[in-house]
Amino acid sequence: MKIEFDKLNHIVIATKYRSSSISDIIDCINKAVSLGEKQNCHNLLFNMQNAIESGSFNEIYEFHKNLIQVTDLTHDHRCAVVFSKMANKPEKQFYETIGSNWGQGIFKIFFKMEDGLKWLKISK
């Protein structure tokens, strides 16, 4: 995991590598939020292009359903989550639907870094 602050764009960028359990992802999110707080930044980009989620369907569903309850994220945050272009797009976009349906529409799924960055810049 690598977490850095992009001063130019005022965005925290968290990059995950390899296999990632739900607890690994929660840890990554919380560290990104913490760095964001230090920089007065609520825009977060999660680069998951080289990560492999290891949670079951039910674990992933519950995670996105309860995102704000199980992480340090708030309704003030805006998160772009970027997956590999080779990812199962409908499956990954379903995460966004789950979050939105449960009143946690603070993130959007992308498959290109440029698109995620562009969306975060617009939503400032």
Side-chain angles (χ1 to χ4, degrees):
M1 167 177 31
K2 178 181 173 185
I3 300 175
E4 57 192 338
F5 180 67
D6 177 344
K7 291 180 185 179
L8 178 65
N9 294 305
H10 199 71
I11 295 171
V12 172
I13 300 173
T15 304
K16 285 289 296 158
Y17 304 98
R18 298 187 262 289
S19 180
S20 298
S21 67
I22 296 298
S23 61
D24 293 335
I25 294 169
I26 290 170
D27 182 53
C28 179
I29 290 170
N30 290 343
K31 287 179 179 175
V33 168
S34 178
L35 178 57
E37 287 174 355
K38 292 175 186 167
Q39 301 295 333
N40 193 28
C41 174
H42 288 100
N43 285 333
L44 312 173
L45 186 139
F46 294 96
N47 180 353
M48 299 289 287
Q49 294 178 80
N50 295 308
I52 300 167
E53 297 166 296
S54 62
S56 69
F57 175 83
N58 285 340
E59 289 173 316
I60 292 170
Y61 180 87
E62 289 297 318
F63 168 67
H64 288 96
K65 173 183 165 188
N66 299 301
L67 187 63
I68 292 176
Q69 291 79 22
V70 298
T71 68
D72 294 336
L73 290 167
T74 68
H75 288 286
D76 292 330
H77 287 97
R78 291 293 164 254
C79 307
V81 184
V82 182
F83 289 101
S84 165
K85 294 173 187 173
M86 305 305 290
N88 179 337
K89 289 179 174 66
E91 175 185 295
K92 303 304 183 196
Q93 290 167 329
F94 184 58
Y95 300 169
E96 190 177 323
T97 302
I98 296 166
S100 183
N101 286 348
W102 286 92
Q104 300 171 108
I106 63 171
F107 69 97
K108 190 159 177 57
I109 302 296
F110 298 94
F111 300 95
K112 293 181 186 174
M113 286 291 287
E114 315 81 66
D115 294 342
L117 284 168
K118 182 178 175 181
W119 180 76
L120 284 172
K121 289 180 191 179
I122 291 170
S123 66
K124 282 186 181 182

